[in-house]
């Protein structure tokens, strides 16, 4: 229930270290570099042709008419995740398969040798040339990296809302005031079509499903278990494609703002009396029996879209590598996706190193943190307790192996945040002009701890990944600022002041406030 002070109606349904005196260079995003063809070590990029649009054409029609192809054929396939080099097991991306023969995770493996026929300079210039344009499908932050994502899909099969290209925000005041940092950035992945980073992966998955249906593969609809954001992304992209979407939600455990999105987008929503892990088990059983395509992050196609956020960060820093990237972790696909994006850029010569990764978990759902603290001894799932960071309230993460691999290979760290820590961090960030989700509060709490312990230095360029829009979590913010959260001090609450409707009372209150700010 909202407090009486909030009269709202609820819906009922290593490089360069910078001196603190010198502010960091602003990232470019909408500066488009001219493509050059003077690289001696790689073929020249496809020409950027001036294309007058015919009046009867839409941008898909135009893309069809001006289709350009690389001289090299790029491809990708499913392979068992982190398989022995001698393994020959692989699957076409056009097969409907979620696990390897041994029951393990799959990974999308690209033909790196073919991609290496073009050097790092070529890829940097090609990706930069597509930013801010409306050419189909490259106006999307995901599909502007199409050759690294789903190289073989026809652009006509892609379902995109031009997701990605999200704001990289210089957290100037927050960094300076609370952390003594001058080079802190927040990657607002929640500034996306449905308000979360899940759009990046869902455009890839639903596009591939669209391709499969055109190939007459047995796919009647797409289904997912969700704590909110996955279902919003799935339902939106399926609605755009005209494909039925089925959503399993844990009853009474997600915010109204999250529940209303799949409903509005026409999904078939099942509210189930269990937690996320229970919904996940059910959807896996159902998709094994019915022609419903599984859209959870068990599906490695999603990670191909999510990895583009890492490439985008490098692009926004003009291909300079940050020192640290901090990612909230629940089902743990995203931390691996970021690793994969950074690692591809290093392997293909766009950058010479990767950042150190930090995975931040809520203390109430912290199986990865406990695994890390045990020195990566045997992993034990936990029973996730309720957390305001509801999207990461997961005790048995599907992508545990992927996350451990990413952290080990990036000299990574795992941190945790209590409920009070994450809510206080969220309130402090909001007080400096941000409006973040509780999951970003978890990541900021991890940053605070690593700054306080000296692991992250004041001049380290650090990026905190914000995974969802704050407007999806207004109830938790309302409860915090109303001081209505049990056993929490809500130290940074800022409730409205009740004042009588007369000039003298208003003047008294304002004078008192202005005096308090005068020091």
């Amino acid at each position: 229930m909202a407090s009486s002070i909030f009269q709202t109606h609820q819906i009922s349904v290593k490089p360069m270290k910078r001196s603190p005196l010198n502010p960091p260079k602003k990232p470019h995003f909408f500066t488009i570099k001219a493509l050059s063809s003077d690289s001696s070590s790689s073929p020249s990029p496809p020409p950027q042709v001036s294309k007058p649009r015919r009046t009867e054409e839409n941008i898909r029609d135009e893309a069809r008419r001006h289709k350009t192809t690389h001289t090299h054929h790029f491809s990708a396939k499913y392979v068992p995740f982190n398989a022995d080099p001698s393994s020959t097991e692989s699957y076409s991306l056009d097969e409907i398969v979620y696990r390897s023969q041994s029951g393990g995770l799959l990974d999308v493996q690209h033909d790196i040798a073919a991609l290496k026929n073009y050097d790092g300079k070529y890829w940097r210039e090609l990706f930069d040339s597509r930013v801010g344009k409306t050419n189909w499908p490259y106006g999307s932050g995901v599909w502007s990296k199409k050759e690294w994502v789903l190289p073989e899909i026809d652009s006509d099969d892609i379902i995109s809302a031009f997701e990605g290209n999200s704001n990289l925000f210089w957290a100037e005041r927050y960094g300076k005031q609370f952390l003594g940092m001058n080079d802190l950035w927040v990657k607002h992945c929640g500034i996306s079509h449905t308000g979360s980073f899940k759009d990046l992966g869902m455009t890839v998955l639903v596009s591939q499903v669209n391709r499969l249906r055109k190939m007459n593969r047995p796919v009647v609809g797409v289904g997912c278990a969700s704590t909110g954001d996955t279902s919003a992304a799935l339902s939106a992209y399926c609605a755009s494609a005209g494909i039925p979407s089925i959503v399993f939600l844990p009853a009474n455990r997600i915010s109204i703002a999250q529940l209303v999105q799949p409903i509005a987008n026409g999904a078939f929503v099942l509210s189930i009396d269990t937690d996320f892990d229970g919904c996940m088990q059910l959807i896996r059983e159902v998709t094994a029996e019915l022609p419903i395509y599984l859209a959870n992050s068990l599906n490695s196609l999603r990670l191909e879209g999510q990895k583009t956020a890492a490439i985008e960060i490098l692009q926004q820093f003009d291909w300079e590598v940050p020192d640290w990237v901090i990612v909230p972790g629940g089902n743990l696909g995203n931390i691996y996706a970021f690793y994969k994006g950074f690692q591809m850029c290093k392997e293909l010569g766009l950058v010479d190193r990767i950042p150190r990764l930090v995975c931040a978990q809520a203390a109430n759902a912290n199986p990865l943190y406990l695994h890390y603290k045990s020195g990566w001894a045997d992993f034990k799932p936990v029973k996730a307790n309720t957390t305001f960071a509801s999207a990461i309230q997961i005790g048995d993460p599907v992508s545990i192996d992927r996350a451990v691999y990413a952290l080990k290979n990036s000299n990574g760290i795992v941190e945790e945040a209590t409920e009070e820590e994450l809510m206080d961090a969220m309130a402090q960030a909001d007080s400096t002009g941000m409006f973040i989700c509780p999951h970003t509060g978890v990541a900021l709490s991890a940053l605070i701890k690593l700054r306080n312990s000296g692991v992250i230095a004041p001049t380290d360029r650090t990026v905190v990944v914000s995974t969802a829009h704050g407007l999806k979590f207004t109830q938790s913010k309302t409860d915090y600022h109303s001081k209505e959260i049990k056993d929490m001090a809500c130290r940074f609450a800022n409730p409205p002041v009740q004042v009588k409707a007369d000039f003298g009372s208003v003047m008294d209150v304002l004078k008192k406030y202005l005096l308090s700010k005068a020091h």
Side-chain angles (χ1 to χ4, degrees), residues 186 328 422 425-426 436-445 464-468:
V186 177
L422 74 90
M426 181 171 73
I436 62 168
C437 65
H439 316 87
T440 312
V442 174
L444 288 173
S445 299
V464 169
V465 176
S466 180
T467 54

Side-chain angles (χ1 to χ4, degrees), residues 33-37 45-48 122 124-129:
K33 294 182 179 178
L35 288 179
S36 66
S37 56
Q48 303 295 300
Y122 167 87
R124 288 194 300 266
E125 291 183 350
L126 179 65
F127 293 163
D128 284 350
S129 75

Side-chain angles (χ1 to χ4, degrees), residues 206-218:
V206 174
S207 295
Q208 179 64 12
V209 170
N210 193 43
R211 170 182 164 93
L212 294 174
R213 281 165 63 92
K214 287 185 178 183
M215 296 166 70
N216 294 317
R217 296 296 169 89

Side-chain angles (χ1 to χ4, degrees), residues 71-145:
T71 54
H72 285 84
H73 175 68
F74 302 123
S75 62
K77 60 187 177 183
Y78 293 124
V79 297
F81 171 73
N82 199 21
D84 185 277
S86 65
S87 170
T88 58
E89 183 183 349
S90 69
Y91 307 90
S92 162
L93 297 188
D94 293 333
E95 291 187 59
I96 300 173
V97 55
Y98 310 115
R99 287 195 177 273
S100 69
Q101 289 169 3
S102 65
L105 297 167
L106 293 173
D107 199 22
V108 175
Q109 183 183 81
H110 290 262
D111 183 350
I112 296 294
L115 293 169
K116 279 186 174 177
N117 284 313
Y118 297 78
D119 69 2
K121 179 173 181 284
Y122 167 87
W123 290 117
R124 288 194 300 266
E125 291 183 350
L126 179 65
F127 293 163
D128 284 350
S129 75
R130 292 168 170 173
V131 176
K133 303 294 182 64
T134 56
N135 296 344
W136 184 264
Y138 304 121
S140 158
V142 173
W143 296 108
S144 65
K145 285 87 176 169

